[in-house]
Amino acid sequence: MVEKVGEYTQTTGVVAKVQNIQVAKEMANIVKTTLGPKGMDKMLIDQQGKIIITNDGFTILDEMDITHPAARMIAEISKTQEAEIGDGTTTAVMLAGRLLENAESLINKRVHPTIICKGYSNAAEEANRIIKELSTSEVSNDILKNIAMTSMTGKAAEGSRDLLADLVVSAVNKIKEDSIEQGRIKIQKVTGSTIDKSELVEGVVLEQIISHESMPRKIENPRIALLDIGLEIKNPEMEIISNISTPDQLEAFRSAELDSIKRMVEKVLATDANVVLTQKGFDDLALHQLAKVGVIAIKRINKYDMDQLARATGGRVVSSIDELKEEDLGKAGVIREVKNKESSLVYIEKCADPKAVTILVHSSTEHIVDEVARALTDGIGDVIAAYNDKAVVPGGGAVEMWLSNKLKAYAMTLNGREQLAVEKFAEALEFIPETLAENAGMDSIDVITEIKQKQESGPVGLNLFNGKVEDTFKAGIIEPSKIKTQAINSATEVAVMVLRIDDILASKNAPQN
Ligand SMILES: Nc1ncnc2c1ncn2[C@@H]1O[C@H](COP(=O)(O)OP(=O)(O)OP(=O)(O)O)[C@@H](O)[C@H]1O
Ligand SMILES: [Mg+2]
């Protein structure tokens, strides 16, 4: 029921739950048509009229103006999934929607939400265990490549899947740490060329210009100072106003300032650096002096790029000029600026042992390059997750169907109504293969039945390259186990959260929808 309570509107009990569940179902329905290689794209138009064409679940929900609180909770799942891996966002939202839809049917049969929550949490835990058991720990380069290819199937990058997948695998092999942090492979977009020109750069590419006209445009084997302070005086106007009253004082002040800048430049040069990169700025005098001795300087580099630079070049970002020593300097094979009509890029490349690299994605238009970059983000996220966790599983709905079957057997071991909840959880997982089939124009009931029959001896899924139900792992349709565990865990978490709500208290200022 809906009532006014002082400053709040109160929606209680079953009405609140039904409303929230309805919203979750709608969200799942919005994204489900994009699932899988045969999924469709969405065209999104923002308030400024900017158009985004995408297949990415997170992007769709992130761009939508979502106001309903339950809808925002669902959108949050896709955000977490995006942050953790970058892929599987559609799957996560769909699972949450179906878990809640199935819960509704139990509530209608008078099963208490607390029991449903308990059943769902247990089922999720059991699902994690089964996935672990099912996972293969061999992650050869071939498998990593298949993972990248699987995640890019059906996305804008499809035509160049092979090349892009090779770039991702090479990138991981270049960094080659025990555990690679997400984000260490930077994607730099470039418009005006074609995807097949995309390349791996063993270092960092900055969307920047060299800060002074008369500086060199290229230096081989540069010695690079990385600063998070500028070679400038902060807020000179403020200081002048507060301290200076006569022209003499002004001149003395400026000359003291110039001395101090000169000293800073001398200290940097004393380390033998011939490239200075800073997160802040340069005084004109500093630029002039650096240019005079053939040093390259670039200002206003963002923090992410600076971290990447430190990892790629082996240098250290220094926050006081007095601290800067020769051993803090980063090294690379070359630094060079490449300018054309569309853009200016600075390459700091051919680093000897880069712990951060860049994939340059070329494409003809902004819409395409954006969507290719989104697909590539998924590919990179998946490959890094598989590489770090050493755990991969078959795709094409194989894991979901395998889990569904095992969870139904697990449900039989439980007593009372919790059994019903675990069964409903198991059924919810079928939503994934069902939709993969539907989006490809196949009969989903036939496909599900065939998978059930064939998975007696091991997991099988739907191979959408040939439309057959078979061992998808062998067919190279492979995903990191983490996509599945993360999607299941966050979908369960949000479903449980929504089921526990039995009052919605909306402030009178809350958005209406
Ligand atoms: N060739 C294929 N045949 C069958 N299924 C495939 C194939 N390639 C990928 N899939 C399946 O497609 C699903 C992934 O689809 P999609 O990438 O559209 O959604 P998502 O990963 O959940 O979300 P998003 O990529 O939008 O974050 C997975 O279940 C995967 O196993
Ligand atoms: Mg995906």
Side-chain angles (χ1 to χ4, degrees):
M1 92 188 232
V2 183
E3 253 185 281
K4 284 243 177 268
V5 190
E7 296 283 286
Y8 293 88
T9 316
Q10 183 179 23
T11 312
T12 51
V14 176
V15 176
K17 242 183 225 61
V18 167
Q19 204 186 77
N20 285 338
I21 290 171
Q22 195 55 37
V23 165
K25 275 198 287 195
E26 276 169 27
M27 309 260 302
N29 280 335
I30 290 172
V31 294
K32 78 173 235 193
T33 55
T34 71
L35 184 80
K38 308 287 177 186
M40 306 294 274
D41 293 347
K42 302 269 178 207
M43 181 187 267
L44 310 166
I45 305 168
D46 74 8
Q47 283 172 344
Q48 281 77 42
K50 188 177 163 237
I51 292 174
I52 299 175
I53 296 167
T54 188
N55 179 290
D56 188 65
F58 165 71
T59 309
I60 295 166
L61 298 180
D62 193 44
E63 289 290 328
M64 279 169 50
D65 198 10
I66 295 171
T67 49
H68 191 283
R72 272 195 255 151
M73 284 161 66
I74 305 273
E76 281 295 316
I77 319 178
S78 81
K79 214 177 249 179
T80 320
Q81 185 85 16
E82 179 76 11
E84 290 284 328
I85 313 186
D87 195 14
T89 58
T90 307
T91 302
V93 170
M94 285 176 62
L95 283 179
R98 187 52 70 88
L99 283 175
L100 283 165
E101 187 177 339
N102 288 358
E104 191 179 25
S105 70
L106 291 176
I107 292 169
N108 291 341
K109 286 187 197 145
R110 307 216 167 275
V111 179
H112 196 276
T114 313
I115 295 187
I116 305 175
C117 292
K118 185 155 174 267
Y120 277 8
S121 302
N122 279 345
E125 208 172 289
E126 185 64 10
N128 278 277
R129 199 191 59 70
I130 299 167
I131 291 175
K132 203 164 172 194
E133 203 176 76
L134 181 70
S135 298
T136 309
S137 62
E138 191 220 327
V139 280
S140 61
N141 282 342
D142 280 349
I143 289 198
L144 291 180
K145 182 171 175 184
N146 279 322
I147 288 172
M149 302 261 277
T150 300
S151 71
M152 288 187 276
T153 314
K155 310 238 168 188
E158 168 126 32
S160 304
R161 253 175 359 131
D162 207 57
L163 165 72
L164 294 173
D166 278 335
L167 294 180
V168 177
V169 176
S170 307
V172 163
N173 284 322
K174 265 286 147 211
I175 299 176
K176 222 167 185 64
E177 283 180 312
D178 290 344
S179 173
I180 300 175
E181 239 181 281
Q182 294 284 357
R184 293 287 78 96
I185 303 174
K186 177 186 174 182
I187 299 175
Q188 178 63 53
K189 299 181 262 188
V190 195
T191 48
S193 179
T194 47
I195 302 187
D196 56 320
K197 299 280 183 311
S198 300
E199 59 188 313
L200 173 67
V201 175
E202 292 167 19
V204 183
V205 180
L206 304 172
E207 214 169 353
Q208 286 277 3
I209 48 168
I210 291 176
S211 296
H212 197 278
E213 276 294 294
S214 51
M215 285 176 174
R217 274 24 228 174
K218 179 177 178 185
I219 294 179
E220 309 260 356
N221 302 315
R223 299 175 299 278
I224 309 163
L226 304 170
L227 308 176
D228 84 349
I229 31 151
L231 299 182
E232 61 187 343
I233 304 289
K234 272 190 233 135
N235 286 333
E237 290 85 352
M238 294 302 292
E239 288 180 42
I240 290 169
I241 290 164
S242 58
N243 295 330
I244 292 166
S245 48
T246 69
D248 281 356
Q249 272 178 330
L250 179 62
E251 200 165 312
F253 180 82
R254 182 61 187 157
S255 124
E257 240 186 32
L258 295 180
D259 281 348
S260 126
I261 289 166
K262 268 187 206 155
R263 265 200 311 278
M264 285 199 253
V265 172
E266 276 158 20
K267 276 191 181 145
V268 173
L269 294 177
T271 63
D272 210 22
N274 56 6
V275 174
V276 187
L277 308 178
T278 177
Q279 287 174 244
K280 307 280 165 50
F282 296 107
D283 190 279
D284 281 348
L285 174 73
L287 284 179
H288 186 73
Q289 284 199 311
L290 292 171
K292 221 166 52 183
V293 291
V295 169
I296 288 180
I298 301 175
K299 63 181 175 186
R300 308 254 173 263
I301 294 173
N302 65 41
K303 169 122 186 22
Y304 169 73
D305 279 338
M306 200 50 118
D307 282 348
Q308 290 288 98
L309 280 163
R311 287 169 201 265
T313 65
R316 188 170 77 92
V317 184
V318 165
S319 33
S320 142
I321 294 288
D322 291 327
E323 257 182 49
L324 184 69
K325 301 204 180 51
E326 199 176 336
E327 57 264 32
D328 297 324
L329 302 184
K331 309 247 175 343
V334 64
I335 176 167
R336 63 191 173 98
E337 183 188 65
V338 178
K339 260 187 180 165
N340 60 29
K341 266 194 288 171
E342 319 257 342
S343 64
S344 169
L345 298 174
V346 177
Y347 292 61
I348 295 100
E349 60 178 339
K350 302 198 173 122
C351 298
D353 182 21
K355 295 297 169 217
V357 296
T358 306
I359 294 180
L360 264 189
V361 185
H362 294 262
S363 197
S364 50
T365 74
E366 214 177 291
H367 290 152
I368 300 179
V369 85
D370 283 350
E371 183 62 353
V372 171
R374 277 191 286 272
L376 190 58
T377 308
D378 291 5
I380 292 173
D382 287 352
V383 167
I384 290 183
Y387 175 91
N388 287 349
D389 297 353
K390 312 263 174 292
V392 297
V393 285
V399 171
E400 288 83 355
M401 288 303 293
W402 183 258
L403 281 174
S404 179
N405 185 36
K406 296 272 174 201
L407 286 175
K408 280 177 192 163
Y410 170 66
M412 302 306 284
T413 67
L414 301 170
N415 293 323
R417 294 179 170 209
E418 195 187 333
Q419 186 181 93
L420 300 177
V422 175
E423 266 167 19
K424 285 289 171 197
F425 187 104
E427 280 168 22
L429 290 160
E430 294 178 8
F431 192 23
I432 302 302
E434 191 183 296
T435 308
L436 287 171
E438 238 168 56
N439 286 349
M442 297 172 75
D443 186 313
S444 58
I445 298 176
D446 285 354
V447 170
I448 298 286
T449 315
E450 196 180 339
I451 297 181
K452 281 182 181 165
Q453 281 165 355
K454 286 190 173 165
Q455 67 179 357
E456 296 273 292
S457 52
V460 291
L462 174 61
N463 176 354
L464 284 169
F465 292 129
N466 59 14
K468 287 194 180 139
V469 167
E470 58 183 24
D471 181 342
T472 41
F473 198 95
K474 266 201 196 134
I477 303 164
I478 304 175
E479 296 180 282
S481 307
K482 192 172 175 190
I483 288 197
K484 304 297 176 193
T485 49
Q486 179 75 36
I488 287 173
N489 294 344
S490 47
T492 308
E493 227 169 78
V494 85
V496 166
M497 215 188 291
V498 169
L499 288 172
R500 282 191 201 284
I501 299 171
D502 72 351
D503 267 343
I504 304 174
L505 292 164
S507 151
K508 69 175 185 199
N509 297 324
Q512 302 289 313
N513 66 329

